[in-house]
Amino acid sequence: MTEQEFLDTYYVERKHSDSLKWNELASDDLIPMWIADMDFKSPYEISDAIDKRLEHGVFGYPIILNSYYESLIRWEKNQNNYELKKEYIRISPSVVTSICWLINCFTKKHDSIIILTPVYSPFSNSINDNGRNLITVDLNYKEGIYTIDFEEFEKNIIENNVKMFILCSPHNPIGRVWHEEELENLLSICQKHNVLVISDEIHKDLIRPDLKHIPSAIINNKKYVNNIITLSSASKTFNIPIFNTSNVIIENDTLRESYDKYINTIYKAYHNQFGIIAHETVYNNGLQWRNDLLKVVHSNYNYIKETLTSLYPKIFISPMEGTYLLWMNLREYVDLENIQSFIQDKCKLAVCYGETFGSNWKGFIRMNMATHPKIIKEATQNIINNLNKLNN
């Protein structure tokens, strides 16, 4: 499809529906660009598959058929060069739920867990809520570009006796797709100090076409795989979080046995059968929809970046290598203490603010690019108009 054909087919007005993104706003006049939720219908193949299951009319206790595992294994091999086996895969309700389970399974109260900030806020929330010691290391930053301070990362691991590292790959909110060398350095440090790596790869299928996601588990011919648990889901790529389904991938037998024993003590529910159906459907038939989506997302990103920076060159917008989330630094033009009032009250935008991703990132905002270009253009013009007023 062309971008316009995709918009005509899948864009949907979500106001006054049951949408968290559109209905839970501080005021009705805000443009919602905050939570990572698209304004596009999911592939129609999902509805067709669920309709077929509904026609059966019996909703008893389900099993997961081999066809689900086969579809996931095929997708990972074709898209990410990651060769899986069925026995590695476990199902959970969500990636964040999995993170909480893994924290409780593999660490004790007051153990230290490290993250690289700015990063998805449920990482820190999950660590704090479960009574663990949160260790944060800020990424190096210069004019929109982020790199990892490996010396500081290792120093904090040693000084705090860190037991677990929660990695975001690709990295939300900054949009980085980590290079193989960067991942190898992180994993090598963790292996050296016996730190278990939880690799959240939920955005792995939302990559700029000229780049490639490298699963943590395959780095250096799977050298570090015995120290890694990978989390994934189709929920972010295909806008289906409602189905509460994600994958926990554990290749190491000992880790997998420990996980299974722990889960047996806390979770006795059956999986969401409609989530399994939806995921299997997109693993089998969702590639073209995903590719068409990315055309729209990156067109939106390019528009807002080129338009804003042509007028205000010290607005630093990080490269959106992965995810559909734009990360913008407004510090050169808006006082730190006035960022929220400027964006919300003057520009009429609902966004995610930098400090929610780490205490040192005030003055940054995260904006969702998975929407109609008309919304992107309105938001961009609102920012320009109010920057003009502020700086004149």
Side-chain angles (χ1 to χ4, degrees):
M1 288 185 177
T2 65
E3 291 178 35
Q4 190 58 53
E5 287 171 337
F6 183 87
L7 294 168
D8 292 342
T9 304
Y10 289 106
Y11 174 71
V12 62
E13 172 61 60
R14 301 185 66 196
K15 191 177 289 187
H16 307 307
S17 67
D18 60 352
S19 167
L20 172 65
K21 177 182 179 182
W22 281 86
N23 292 341
E24 292 293 315
L25 299 173
S27 62
D28 291 338
D29 59 349
L30 297 180
I31 301 172
M33 306 187 76
W34 59 294
I35 195 169
D37 183 352
M38 303 181 197
D39 295 327
F40 304 123
K41 296 177 183 178
S42 299
Y44 286 126
E45 288 86 352
I46 293 177
S47 300
D48 293 341
I50 289 176
D51 284 346
K52 184 177 180 180
R53 180 64 182 84
L54 288 171
E55 288 174 5
H56 185 255
V58 178
F59 309 109
Y61 296 114
I63 62 172
I64 303 176
L65 298 175
N66 281 335
S67 58
Y68 172 79
Y69 297 102
E70 291 166 357
S71 69
L72 173 59
I73 290 168
R74 186 165 50 248
W75 178 272
E76 288 297 333
K77 173 60 177 175
N78 292 340
Q79 297 305 310
N80 302 302
N81 197 33
Y82 186 11
E83 295 189 6
L84 294 178
K85 296 180 180 179
K86 176 183 175 181
E87 57 262 35
Y88 302 160
I89 304 166
R90 299 294 182 267
I91 307 300
S92 85
S94 73
V95 165
V96 174
T97 298
S98 300
I99 288 172
C100 290
W101 286 352
L102 294 168
I103 286 171
N104 283 291
C105 179
F106 292 105
T107 68
K108 302 187 297 292
K109 292 285 187 181
H110 309 300
D111 277 352
S112 293
I113 301 175
I114 195 167
I115 58 177
L116 298 172
T117 53
V119 74
Y120 183 50
S121 59
F123 284 14
S124 56
N125 294 342
S126 297
I127 295 166
N128 289 326
D129 290 346
N130 285 287
R132 272 55 173 180
N133 182 28
L134 172 64
I135 306 299
T136 63
V137 174
D138 280 344
L139 294 164
N140 293 328
Y141 175 82
K142 184 177 181 181
E143 297 183 354
I145 305 301
Y146 285 87
T147 55
I148 300 168
D149 188 334
F150 296 105
E151 289 185 8
E152 188 68 15
F153 180 70
E154 185 168 21
K155 176 174 174 285
N156 272 271
I157 285 176
I158 295 169
E159 290 180 351
N160 296 284
N161 191 25
V162 165
K163 302 298 184 184
M164 178 180 285
F165 167 43
I166 307 178
L167 168 66
C168 198
S169 179
H171 197 101
N172 170 14
I174 66 171
R176 270 298 313 272
V177 172
W178 299 116
H179 300 157
E180 184 169 5
E181 182 180 357
E182 292 171 312
L183 290 170
E184 171 117 40
N185 287 340
L186 287 172
L187 298 177
S188 176
I189 291 168
C190 288
Q191 185 181 74
K192 177 181 176 181
H193 299 288
N194 196 30
V195 174
L196 179 63
V197 177
I198 310 303
S199 189
D200 174 0
E201 302 184 12
I202 196 170
H203 290 277
K204 63 186 171 58
D205 297 310
L206 294 163
I207 305 296
R208 205 171 71 195
D210 59 315
L211 298 174
K212 191 73 176 174
H213 168 71
I214 305 175
S216 298
I218 71 171
I219 295 294
N220 199 347
N221 295 316
K222 294 196 171 186
K223 179 179 179 179
Y224 308 101
V225 73
N226 289 325
N227 202 46
I228 294 171
I229 296 174
T230 301
L231 307 179
S232 73
S233 174
S235 64
K236 200 64 65 181
T237 303
F238 295 98
N239 210 34
I240 50 175
I242 194 173
F243 291 118
N244 291 336
T245 300
S246 74
N247 306 300
V248 181
I249 300 170
I250 312 174
E251 295 201 35
N252 178 270
D253 294 340
T254 302
L255 291 177
R256 194 166 61 249
E257 182 180 353
S258 296
Y259 175 84
D260 288 343
K261 286 181 178 178
Y262 174 74
I263 294 303
N264 283 336
T265 70
I266 64 163
Y267 190 67
K268 297 296 185 180
Y270 286 83
H271 62 270
N272 182 330
Q273 184 71 357
F274 294 106
I276 295 296
I277 291 169
H279 278 63
E280 180 178 339
T281 299
V282 294
Y283 289 144
N284 285 331
N285 301 298
L287 183 59
Q288 189 59 54
W289 185 96
R290 191 282 308 268
N291 292 344
D292 292 337
L293 164 76
L294 289 178
K295 294 176 190 174
V296 174
V297 165
H298 286 283
S299 179
N300 285 344
Y301 167 82
N302 290 333
Y303 174 85
I304 194 169
K305 181 177 182 179
E306 291 167 7
T307 304
L308 284 179
T309 58
S310 67
L311 297 172
Y312 289 92
K314 290 187 178 181
I315 291 179
F316 297 113
I317 297 176
S318 296
M320 195 175 70
E321 299 173 344
T323 81
Y324 51 78
L325 305 166
L326 177 148
W327 183 245
M328 181 190 303
N329 178 357
L330 290 167
R331 287 176 170 180
E332 294 291 332
Y333 296 105
V334 185
D335 183 80
L336 289 184
E337 300 307 315
N338 295 328
I339 288 286
Q340 186 161 346
S341 62
F342 174 78
I343 290 294
Q344 180 173 296
D345 301 333
K346 292 183 169 56
C347 299
K348 298 300 180 182
L349 304 179
V351 303
C352 292
Y353 295 96
E355 57 267 35
T356 65
F357 301 96
S359 58
N360 293 328
W361 302 99
K362 197 168 189 176
F364 291 74
I365 62 171
R366 191 193 77 174
M367 299 175 67
N368 184 338
M369 297 291 100
T371 189
H372 199 287
K374 66 184 180 183
I375 293 175
I376 296 294
K377 290 175 181 178
E378 182 180 1
T380 304
Q381 195 58 53
N382 287 3
I383 294 173
I384 290 170
N385 291 344
N386 286 282
L387 281 175
N388 289 344
K389 294 176 184 177
L390 187 65
N391 288 278
N392 286 335

